[in-house]
Amino acid sequence: MKVIKTICGMCGGDYCGIDVSVEDDRIVDIKGSKEHQLNQGRTCPQARAVLELEYDPNRLSYPMKRAGDAWQRISWDEALDTIADKLSQIKERYGAQALAVYEGESLEQFIRDGWARRFMNLYGTPNWAQNDHMCYLPAVIAEHLTYGREEIDGFEPEHARCIFLWGANPVTSHITTHWRYVTQARKRGAKLIVVDPRFSRSAQKADIYAPIRPGSDVALALGLINFIITEKLYDADFVERWVMSLDN
Ligand code: SF4
C-alpha cells in the first residue's frame, strides 16, 4: 500500500491537504494531512465520501439517451455524434449566440473552466455562466469594495477577540479551516456572535445568537452602524488612518 499526498478538490473552496492510501490501484482510505498548514489533519465529510463517489456501483460511467419514458445505453460515438448534430442545427438555424453554457461545480474546476471556454470560443458564443457567478464572485466584489482587495494581509481570525458570523455556518461548510479559526479564537476567550434566521450548528455554539427575519439583514446592519457612530464606539484613530468611503 502506498500513501499519496495530494489536495482535496471536492468543494473548490479550501483545498485541504489529504493523504490518499492506494492498494492495487484502488483507493482504500483518505485522511487529512497532519502537516498541511490549512487543515492540519482535518477533513470534512465530502473528502471522506470520495470513496463512495468513485466506487459507487450505480455511478453513471457511460452515456444514456432518453427513449420514451426510459433511458437506454448508447456508445460514446453515438453520444458525440448526436450532440454535435444538435449543436450544428442550433447554430445553423438561430446563430451561435443562441447557445448558452451553464456549468456546475466540478471536481476538476480549473481544467474544466479551460475546456468550456475553449469550446465556446470555437463555437462562437459568449454566453457562459456558472455557480461562481452567484456564489464566489459576489463575495469577491464585496471584498474589493470593502477592503480594496480580495485578501487581507495578516488575516489572523484565530487572534480575534470577537467573531461575527453573518449568514455563515462554518461548522457545516468550512469545518477544516474557518471553524478551526473560530475554535482557536474562542479558546483564547473570543466571543462568538451569529446572525442567521436558521438555528444552524454554528448558531448553537454562539455566545449571542440573533435569529433575524429573512430579508432584514440590511436593517440590522444599518442599525448597528448607526448605534456605533452615534455612541462613538468606533476606533477613531483606525478609521482616520485606514478607512475610506466610496465618496473619497
Ligand atoms: S473543506 Fe472538505 S471538500 Fe473542501 S477541500 Fe477541505 S476536505 Fe475537501
Side-chain angles (χ1 to χ4, degrees):
M1 189 167 75
K2 60 182 174 184
V3 176
I4 298 170
K5 293 197 172 291
T6 185
I7 299 293
C8 174
M10 285 292 284
C11 71
D14 285 341
Y15 302 113
C16 300
I18 49 173
D19 295 347
V20 180
S21 302
V22 178
E23 195 167 17
D24 297 330
D25 283 337
R26 200 179 162 87
I27 303 169
V28 291
D29 192 27
I30 294 176
K31 287 195 172 66
S33 300
K34 286 203 168 58
E35 67 273 37
H36 195 278
Q37 181 188 347
L38 200 63
N39 55 313
Q40 300 180 1
R42 294 171 177 80
T43 61
C44 78
Q46 277 198 102
R48 298 193 293 276
V50 165
L51 279 165
E52 289 172 44
L53 189 73
E54 184 70 16
Y55 300 123
D56 189 315
N58 293 319
R59 180 179 175 183
L60 190 60
S61 53
Y62 45 79
M64 306 274 279
K65 187 174 178 183
R66 187 182 284 283
D69 290 338
W71 294 89
Q72 72 181 42
R73 181 173 179 171
I74 57 172
S75 69
W76 284 103
D77 281 346
E78 187 182 345
L80 289 169
D81 286 347
T82 306
I83 294 167
D85 279 350
K86 296 259 184 215
L87 289 172
S88 300
Q89 284 170 22
I90 291 169
K91 196 171 184 177
E92 217 166 275
R93 264 188 227 162
Y94 309 108
Q97 294 189 14
L99 182 78
V101 175
Y102 186 90
E103 298 172 65
E105 192 62 53
S106 149
L107 303 185
E108 298 168 292
Q109 188 170 3
F110 297 114
I111 300 169
R112 173 208 66 186
D113 282 353
W115 287 348
R117 289 176 205 179
R118 182 78 186 117
F119 161 70
M120 290 170 59
N121 287 344
L122 289 170
Y123 191 82
T125 178
N127 299 321
W128 171 67
Q130 63 169 162
N131 52 341
D132 273 358
H133 296 153
M134 286 170 278
C135 171
Y136 175 66
L137 292 179
V140 172
I141 291 167
E143 283 171 354
H144 275 265
L145 288 172
T146 310
Y147 311 126
R149 54 177 293 174
E150 190 173 339
E151 291 168 353
I152 314 168
D153 285 335
F155 178 57
E156 293 179 329
E158 63 272 34
H159 295 294
R161 286 184 292 167
C162 178
I163 295 180
F164 223 119
L165 298 178
W166 197 311
N169 180 21
V171 173
T172 300
S173 56
H174 282 287
I175 195 159
T176 58
T177 50
H178 297 187
W179 186 248
R180 180 164 58 76
Y181 302 145
V182 174
T183 47
Q184 285 172 346
R186 295 192 83 202
K187 278 186 194 150
R188 294 187 168 99
K191 293 278 178 262
L192 178 64
I193 302 171
V194 176
V195 177
D196 199 323
R198 305 160 305 167
F199 190 47
S200 66
R201 289 170 68 198
S202 304
Q204 289 165 33
K205 315 259 183 203
D207 297 293
I208 297 175
Y209 167 49
I212 59 168
R213 261 197 246 159
S216 60
D217 300 64
V218 174
L220 177 61
L222 291 174
L224 286 171
I225 292 167
N226 184 37
F227 185 76
I228 289 168
I229 293 174
T230 312
E231 299 293 318
K232 298 199 181 337
L233 297 174
Y234 58 91
D235 182 338
D237 183 47
F238 180 89
V239 169
E240 187 61 37
R241 290 178 63 199
W242 299 108
V243 176
M244 63 168 191
S245 79
L246 293 178
D247 297 333
N248 56 31

